[in-house]
Amino acid sequence: MSLEIKKLKKRMNERDIIKGVDLTIPEGEIYGFLGANGAGKTTIFRHILGIYTPDSGEITWKGRKIDRFDAAKVGYLPEERGLYPKRTVKQQLTFFGKLHKMNKRGIEKSIAFWLDFFDIKENIDRKISELSKGNQQKIQFIASIIHSPELVILDEPFSGLDPINANQLKEAILFLKEKGSTIIFSSHQMANVEEICENICMIKKGEVLLKGNLQEIKNGTDKRKVIVQADFEREALKREFEIASYKEKNNVVSFYAQDEFSAKKIQKFIFQSENIQQFRIEPVSLNDIFLERVGE
């Protein structure tokens, strides 16, 4: 069973925001939404949650059409964070637990588990306003999943987190997957998406540009990224080889070669030069694909 989005359309303020989106999000997987600001990611999330009603199309979860999700089955971390700064961590999380129809014992058990998971149990009686930004974000995350939801929607969960806190959050997301949750999240940080997602969708201005299995998408391009730092004739390189997205910064040149064979021919050309400080041929990354397809 899965989450199905079929021919979803939405028009707001005389603009087509979502333009016939079709997606299948497998149950029990981590699914990444990629797109620039204003691409339509949050609007799709709000349709899944039943906050917005589509102009046409439908969304089904486990074969049932969604009107509004049962609060006990879904967890949502919005991009705009919302905590009560004068409440303590315990008061804040207890409040959200009650919203999700949990009993007192279940709330206390879940709070203890997640504070221990993030190694912040000493903060249980501190006010939200007294916590660091990273710890506030952890509390916001815990509030969204305190009830062990079947479906978890995370809108830019890594925004503003340092590498250590981001890694803890990735571990939490993987833990939820192991427990059977389906997780959907949006992010501008491609490394995090590559690390934990099985399937992705790239969106631009309400349209799907690319979707499917992440590894298959990466394997589906023959292009190679070439990175060079050496004294060579730039114009001769451009004249003799078919290259794309040529960039130069601080004497380091990067560009795309059409395939592995082309990259090796370029290597021979560069190795005739002097003062070669670095030469690398790399597979195209998700970030490279994103920049090429989205163009922003």
Side-chain angles (χ1 to χ4, degrees), residues 1 42 139 145 290:
M1 304 297 284
T42 299
I139 299 304
I145 53 87
F290 178 80

Side-chain angles (χ1 to χ4, degrees), residues 122-241:
E122 71 279 2
N123 293 320
I124 189 166
D125 293 317
R126 293 183 67 187
K127 291 182 179 179
I128 298 297
S129 59
E130 298 173 354
L131 303 180
S132 66
K133 183 177 179 181
N135 283 341
Q136 286 186 22
Q137 196 150 328
K138 291 173 188 175
I139 299 304
Q140 183 85 64
F141 174 81
I142 295 169
S144 69
I145 53 87
I146 190 171
H147 55 303
S148 302
E150 295 178 6
L151 177 67
V152 179
I153 300 175
L154 308 172
D155 203 348
E156 294 293 344
F158 299 101
S159 178
L161 290 180
D162 61 46
I164 293 173
N165 284 323
N167 190 59
Q168 282 189 313
L169 185 56
K170 279 183 275 189
E171 289 175 355
I173 291 171
L174 290 168
F175 175 82
L176 291 172
K177 179 188 179 252
E178 289 175 9
K179 294 296 181 182
S181 294
T182 301
I183 299 119
I184 304 169
F185 77 92
S186 65
S187 181
H188 290 105
Q189 299 176 30
M190 301 298 145
N192 293 326
V193 175
E194 283 192 275
E195 207 169 326
I196 63 177
C197 285
E198 292 141 284
N199 291 281
I200 63 163
C201 169
M202 286 188 189
I203 299 177
K204 182 177 182 180
K205 296 180 180 178
E207 293 184 280
V208 175
L209 297 180
L210 190 64
K211 63 182 178 180
N213 179 269
L214 174 56
Q215 200 56 52
E216 290 177 3
I217 288 171
K218 290 176 69 177
N219 292 341
T221 177
D222 292 328
K223 286 185 179 179
R224 293 294 182 267
K225 188 172 186 178
V226 180
I227 298 156
V228 184
Q229 187 174 8
D231 295 335
F232 68 95
E233 289 294 327
R234 270 64 167 162
E235 293 306 315
L237 172 76
K238 296 175 186 177
R239 203 169 45 245
E240 293 192 29
F241 301 98

Side-chain angles (χ1 to χ4, degrees), residues 26-287:
E27 186 177 0
E29 287 196 9
I30 303 173
Y31 195 99
F33 273 77
L34 309 175
N37 290 332
K41 304 184 299 295
T42 299
T43 302
I44 292 174
F45 290 169
R46 290 174 178 171
H47 278 88
I48 294 171
L49 292 163
I51 298 171
Y52 288 166
T53 302
D55 294 335
S56 62
E58 67 174 17
I59 301 174
T60 59
W61 170 248
K62 297 184 178 181
R64 184 178 66 84
K65 186 176 179 180
I66 292 174
D67 294 315
R68 185 173 290 275
F69 252 112
D70 185 341
K73 294 181 180 180
V74 65
Y76 178 47
L77 177 68
E79 185 175 9
E80 304 83 10
R81 312 300 188 229
L83 296 172
Y84 298 99
K86 294 184 179 180
R87 290 192 175 188
T88 66
V89 168
K90 183 176 182 179
Q91 289 171 337
Q92 181 77 84
L93 295 177
T94 299
F95 171 73
F96 278 100
K98 289 179 179 178
L99 285 181
H100 290 297
K101 305 176 184 178
M102 297 175 70
N103 59 39
K104 182 179 178 181
R105 185 182 177 192
I107 291 171
E108 290 177 349
K109 184 178 179 181
S110 189
I111 290 174
F113 173 83
W114 283 109
L115 292 184
D116 184 61
F117 186 98
F118 285 113
D119 196 24
I120 52 172
K121 55 188 175 183
E122 71 279 2
N123 293 320
I124 189 166
D125 293 317
R126 293 183 67 187
K127 291 182 179 179
I128 298 297
S129 59
E130 298 173 354
L131 303 180
S132 66
K133 183 177 179 181
N135 283 341
Q136 286 186 22
Q137 196 150 328
K138 291 173 188 175
I139 299 304
Q140 183 85 64
F141 174 81
I142 295 169
S144 69
I145 53 87
I146 190 171
H147 55 303
S148 302
E150 295 178 6
L151 177 67
V152 179
I153 300 175
L154 308 172
D155 203 348
E156 294 293 344
F158 299 101
S159 178
L161 290 180
D162 61 46
I164 293 173
N165 284 323
N167 190 59
Q168 282 189 313
L169 185 56
K170 279 183 275 189
E171 289 175 355
I173 291 171
L174 290 168
F175 175 82
L176 291 172
K177 179 188 179 252
E178 289 175 9
K179 294 296 181 182
S181 294
T182 301
I183 299 119
I184 304 169
F185 77 92
S186 65
S187 181
H188 290 105
Q189 299 176 30
M190 301 298 145
N192 293 326
V193 175
E194 283 192 275
E195 207 169 326
I196 63 177
C197 285
E198 292 141 284
N199 291 281
I200 63 163
C201 169
M202 286 188 189
I203 299 177
K204 182 177 182 180
K205 296 180 180 178
E207 293 184 280
V208 175
L209 297 180
L210 190 64
K211 63 182 178 180
N213 179 269
L214 174 56
Q215 200 56 52
E216 290 177 3
I217 288 171
K218 290 176 69 177
N219 292 341
T221 177
D222 292 328
K223 286 185 179 179
R224 293 294 182 267
K225 188 172 186 178
V226 180
I227 298 156
V228 184
Q229 187 174 8
D231 295 335
F232 68 95
E233 289 294 327
R234 270 64 167 162
E235 293 306 315
L237 172 76
K238 296 175 186 177
R239 203 169 45 245
E240 293 192 29
F241 301 98
E242 186 177 352
I243 62 175
S245 300
Y246 179 94
K247 295 178 182 177
E248 183 166 359
K249 185 177 181 181
N250 298 327
N251 202 36
V252 177
V253 174
S254 66
F255 53 87
Y256 296 142
Q258 290 299 105
D259 50 37
E260 182 79 20
F261 179 72
S262 299
K264 293 294 185 182
K265 287 177 68 177
I266 291 169
Q267 182 179 24
K268 289 182 179 179
F269 171 84
I270 296 296
F271 277 27
Q272 299 173 27
S273 308
E274 296 181 355
N275 192 27
I276 300 171
Q277 297 179 49
Q278 65 168 313
F279 182 92
R280 303 201 310 272
I281 300 172
E282 299 177 349
V284 174
S285 69
L286 180 59
N287 191 64

